[in-house]
Amino acid sequence: MRNVAIIKTTLSYAVALALTSGAALAAEATRAPAGTLADGTAVEVISLTNKQGISARILTYGATLQSLSMPDKHGKTADVLLGYDDLKDYVDHPNYFGVTVGRYANRIAGGAFSIDGKAYQLPLNDKTNSLHGGGKGFDKQVWKVASVKSGPVATLVLTLTSADGDSGYPGKLDSSVTYTLDEAGNLGILFDAKTDKPTIVNMTNHAIFNLGGEGSPDGALGHLLTIPAKAYTPVDEALIPTGERKPVDGSVFDFRQPRRVADGIRDGRDPQIVFGRGYDHNWALDKGLTKTPELAARLEDPVSGRVVEVLTTEPGVQFYAGNFLDGTLVGKGGHLYRMGDGIALEPQKFPDAPNKPNFVSARVDPGKPYHHAMVYRLSVKR
């Protein structure tokens, strides 16, 4: 019963989204076995499908968005997410493809933070920092299926309880991730959590997109990207934000109008591009923290016509251009993934916010649940 209130709140938004989009046809949700872990734990895959040719596959391992298929302007359907075909590869070669990230997405400097004067230490899994939860994050755990439903909105609700002290984080955290798909092409992902003591939470999805189709030889560098943000948060050499909000005007970080990703990704004259090996930065969205999802980014492939708009209630979005993909990972269909083969747009609180008082707080307290609603709005430009 502990997650019932969270689930009801989450589903109310999804239903409202479907009604406002005019969705009438039923979308389908189905579940099937996906294999077992070495300890015998069973993993499932749940498919959400609508009548417009859009389908999403979600693994209970990591609450992972394993695939997202959609038609192009000629009606040809392709999977637009980097990832793996098999569960075993997600376990043996983790690279955050499509996973639910938590408890804290992105980096925390030194893996250290304090709440009310008490210091906490997280595992260091990114050189001197904690990245995406550190240690055994939410992406490496099997989530429980709480609900699977077909209807005007196909819905999957997954839940996970993280014990007090798990990976160094304080408080027992009851979390849920709700995936929804309607007939208008809205794939919603809603994150909810409640704690029994003060803690920090910053959950997101780490899908990496190639709208030309996963594994297409041209990669994603020719995609057009728009980010409605006047400023971004520059980083130091360890990719930790300095605390500054720097105007994008006149720089390769200005995506207020659609620009090809390739135009600035190798501009070594900007030390920020050197630090990130390309784009691996957080943009401070003009909209800030909002009650309902608003536009954080728009990605378009001019060749296929596929478009994904990312909407979120969170104040920031991390744009990562796959800079650390170096051809050593074999993904779906036997494809080698390289820098620029895909793009992640991760809505979030700002990196290292627990150590930056001037950033929007990531603190969550008992009786004040965490909620993040995001949407991948899919369409085709013909």
Side-chain angles (χ1 to χ4, degrees):
M1 296 292 291
R2 61 190 171 198
N3 285 305
V4 170
I6 289 177
I7 293 169
K8 285 182 178 178
T9 301
T10 293
L11 292 182
S12 65
Y13 172 75
V15 171
L17 182 66
L19 292 175
T20 57
S21 66
L25 300 174
E28 185 177 8
T30 59
R31 58 195 293 186
T36 57
L37 302 183
D39 64 0
T41 302
V43 175
E44 292 187 73
V45 60
I46 294 85
S47 298
L48 308 180
T49 307
N50 71 11
K51 300 300 188 296
Q52 312 307 315
I54 296 173
S55 64
R57 286 168 52 90
I58 300 100
L59 293 171
T60 55
Y61 181 78
T64 299
L65 183 59
Q66 182 185 19
S67 69
L68 180 59
S69 297
M70 61 182 295
D72 67 5
K73 61 186 177 183
H74 302 296
K76 182 180 179 181
T77 299
D79 181 2
V80 297
L81 297 186
L82 275 62
Y84 299 116
D85 292 318
D86 301 313
L87 170 65
K88 187 177 186 300
D89 285 326
Y90 283 96
V91 176
D92 294 345
H93 307 290
N95 204 68
Y96 303 110
F97 292 129
V99 302
T100 291
V101 180
R103 292 188 187 190
Y104 199 93
N106 219 308
R107 295 174 175 88
I108 295 179
F113 65 96
S114 297
I115 297 180
D116 298 332
K118 184 175 181 179
Y120 297 93
Q121 181 64 52
L122 311 176
L124 304 182
N125 61 336
D126 181 52
K127 297 180 181 179
T128 59
N129 304 317
S130 178
L131 174 66
H132 294 331
K136 189 177 181 181
F138 286 2
D139 60 299
K140 298 176 181 67
Q141 301 186 48
V142 178
W143 292 62
K144 180 181 178 181
V145 177
S147 175
V148 179
K149 293 182 180 179
S150 300
V153 181
T155 305
L156 164 65
V157 182
L158 300 170
T159 61
L160 178 72
T161 295
S162 176
D164 183 15
D166 182 15
S167 292
Y169 291 91
K172 179 172 74 74
L173 196 74
D174 292 321
S175 304
S176 73
V177 178
T178 301
Y179 284 92
T180 62
L181 179 65
D182 67 18
E183 286 300 321
N186 296 299
L187 178 67
I189 311 178
L190 299 101
F191 307 93
D192 290 275
K194 60 181 181 179
T195 182
D196 62 357
K197 68 171 63 171
T199 190
I200 58 171
V201 182
N202 184 31
M203 297 171 65
T204 193
N205 184 271
H206 201 285
I208 301 182
F209 288 90
N210 180 348
L211 296 180
E214 174 280 325
S216 62
D218 293 332
L221 295 184
H223 289 13
L224 299 176
L225 176 64
T226 308
I227 301 177
K230 298 183 182 72
Y232 76 104
T233 53
V235 296
D236 61 21
E237 293 183 20
L239 300 182
I240 296 296
T242 63
E244 177 188 5
R245 297 192 189 203
K246 187 172 183 178
V248 300
D249 191 38
S251 77
V252 296
F253 290 86
D254 191 351
F255 285 92
R256 289 174 293 178
Q257 298 297 321
R259 283 185 47 215
R260 287 196 330 144
V261 173
D263 290 347
I265 199 169
R266 292 187 173 89
D267 191 344
R269 296 169 296 180
D270 191 317
Q272 287 295 308
I273 294 294
V274 176
F275 289 163
R277 301 188 189 180
Y279 293 110
D280 190 6
H281 296 76
N282 169 71
W283 271 252
L285 298 169
D286 293 347
K287 72 176 191 63
L289 189 68
T290 51
K291 290 185 178 180
T292 58
E294 296 182 18
L295 186 67
R298 182 184 187 275
L299 190 66
E300 175 189 340
D301 174 27
V303 178
S304 69
R306 295 187 183 96
V307 176
V308 59
E309 293 172 294
V310 183
L311 292 81
T312 181
T313 53
E314 295 293 75
V317 62
Q318 183 87 4
F319 165 33
Y320 167 61
N323 309 336
F324 295 93
L325 299 175
D326 58 6
T328 60
L329 293 176
V330 181
K332 297 173 182 176
H335 297 136
L336 290 178
Y337 292 145
R338 306 157 301 165
M339 176 185 177
D341 278 352
I343 289 169
L345 297 162
E346 309 156 56
Q348 58 177 345
K349 297 291 193 305
F350 296 177
D352 202 36
N355 296 310
K356 299 290 191 297
N358 58 322
F359 286 175
V360 176
S361 176
R363 176 170 173 156
V364 177
D365 289 294
K368 297 180 179 179
Y370 168 86
H371 178 70
H372 171 200
M374 62 176 285
V375 180
Y376 293 134
R377 188 160 62 193
L378 310 173
S379 62
V380 179
K381 185 175 181 180
R382 301 183 186 278

